[in-house]
Amino acid sequence: MALKHLHRAAMAWLGSWWRLLNFAVQILSLALSPSSYARANRPALARQLVLATAPNLLWFSVLCALISLVLIRIVVVTALSYGLSQFALEMVVRVLVLELIPLTAALFVALRITLPDAIEFAQLRARGTLDALQSEGADLLHREFFPRVLAGVFATWMLAAVSCVLALVLAYLTIYGFTPWALQGYTRVVGQVFNPAVTLILALKIVFFSFAVALIPMSSAYYADDADDAGPRGRRRGTHGLSEMLRLFSVILIIEIASLMGNYY
């Protein structure tokens, strides 16, 4: 009995990851298809991009700036107290720009945008709304899911890029003040940190973060009625968001560990 239950759990786990891969391939095919960006589809794409990015960019940047100022000040004061002020800027860039800001942007997009959208889709499917639309011939993958996946990817890129630039500016102003004479030394230190390997790892980390936060929740919502979710509908609706959050955070953790190994080993 226990072996049978373990076998069913393992098959359900493998099936969920297979459906995620299948969903990712379908989204990629839509992203590479010129028809996805035709005139008839542009309003839906533009609407989702704006809804996912514009309302969140300003106050996320402000919040990120406040946290960055606090962390920069802590690092600078600590480095001065130990006589390591020459390493303060490098430490700030590595801690904030390379690690914390991309991770925070990905988690923010997941909790604020993609996971709520996925839960909403799962609830609509549980009520039969999405099935009714599919029976009428509606292409839900193209019309509903693809714009939201693209919006999640774009929002992660935009929030991470703007916040990283803002953190670099704040680091300069906090350490050197409002003077242009320290730019040469500042750019030299930042350039030493952002060597080609580190820059590539940072770019890949942001890209993989964006794919994870956009694809995993939407894939679960798209296949919400599959056999591995067997059980009462009410229980499925209650546990859907938690299970996808755990899966998403596990993938994000793996990406972060891989980036740390690439940067420091």
Side-chain angles (χ1 to χ4, degrees):
M1 190 68 178
L3 290 177
K4 183 177 180 181
H5 179 73
L6 181 62
H7 176 264
R8 292 179 61 183
M11 294 304 296
W13 183 81
L14 291 174
S16 65
W17 286 104
W18 173 255
R19 284 186 290 276
L20 173 59
L21 179 61
N22 182 60
F23 180 78
V25 170
Q26 293 184 67
I27 292 295
L28 179 61
S29 65
L30 288 177
L32 297 178
S33 175
S35 62
S36 300
Y37 310 99
R39 183 182 300 271
N41 299 322
R42 290 174 193 168
L45 287 173
R47 180 174 180 273
Q48 292 301 326
L49 290 175
V50 172
L51 288 177
T53 307
N56 302 307
L57 181 59
L58 178 59
W59 73 273
F60 177 80
S61 299
V62 172
L63 180 63
C64 188
L66 294 175
I67 297 174
S68 297
L69 284 174
V70 174
L71 292 178
I72 291 169
R73 186 61 183 170
I74 291 173
V75 171
V76 170
V77 171
T78 304
L80 286 173
S81 65
Y82 286 98
L84 301 173
S85 57
Q86 67 272 23
F87 301 111
L89 177 59
E90 181 178 350
M91 191 179 302
V92 165
V93 173
R94 289 187 178 276
V95 171
L96 275 179
V97 179
L98 295 184
E99 308 302 338
L100 291 183
I101 289 179
L103 179 62
T104 304
L107 294 176
F108 180 86
V109 172
L111 295 175
R112 179 75 177 176
I113 301 169
T114 57
L115 281 171
D117 284 348
I119 294 174
E120 180 183 358
F121 275 126
Q123 291 173 346
L124 290 174
R125 186 177 292 279
R127 291 197 295 265
T129 305
L130 294 184
D131 293 334
L133 290 174
Q134 282 182 323
S135 64
E136 295 173 1
D139 186 1
L140 295 180
L141 183 67
H142 196 189
R143 193 179 73 181
E144 299 292 342
F145 286 90
F146 174 67
R148 285 172 171 79
V149 170
L150 199 63
V153 171
F154 179 77
T156 305
W157 293 357
M158 183 61 67
L159 266 60
V162 172
S163 300
C164 286
V165 172
L166 185 60
L168 289 174
V169 173
L170 291 174
Y172 178 86
L173 295 177
T174 302
I175 296 175
Y176 300 109
F178 292 89
T179 174
W181 308 115
L183 278 174
Q184 182 177 358
Y186 174 80
T187 54
R188 183 176 65 252
V189 173
V190 173
Q192 290 173 350
V193 173
F194 283 98
N195 59 58
V198 171
T199 304
L200 178 61
I201 291 173
L202 175 62
L204 289 176
K205 178 166 71 171
I206 294 175
V207 168
F208 285 128
F209 276 169
S210 66
F211 289 166
V213 301
L215 289 171
I216 293 177
M218 290 293 109
S219 170
S220 173
Y222 188 68
Y223 295 108
D225 275 350
D226 280 349
D228 63 309
D229 291 325
R233 284 183 178 268
R235 185 173 68 84
R236 288 208 307 267
R237 290 196 298 267
T239 60
H240 175 84
L242 180 60
S243 63
E244 291 316 304
M245 187 182 300
L246 292 176
R247 180 182 301 181
L248 174 60
F249 288 173
S250 300
V251 173
I252 289 177
L253 180 61
I254 292 173
I255 296 172
E256 181 64 28
I257 292 174
S259 72
L260 289 173
M261 293 177 63
N263 283 330
Y264 302 108
Y265 286 94

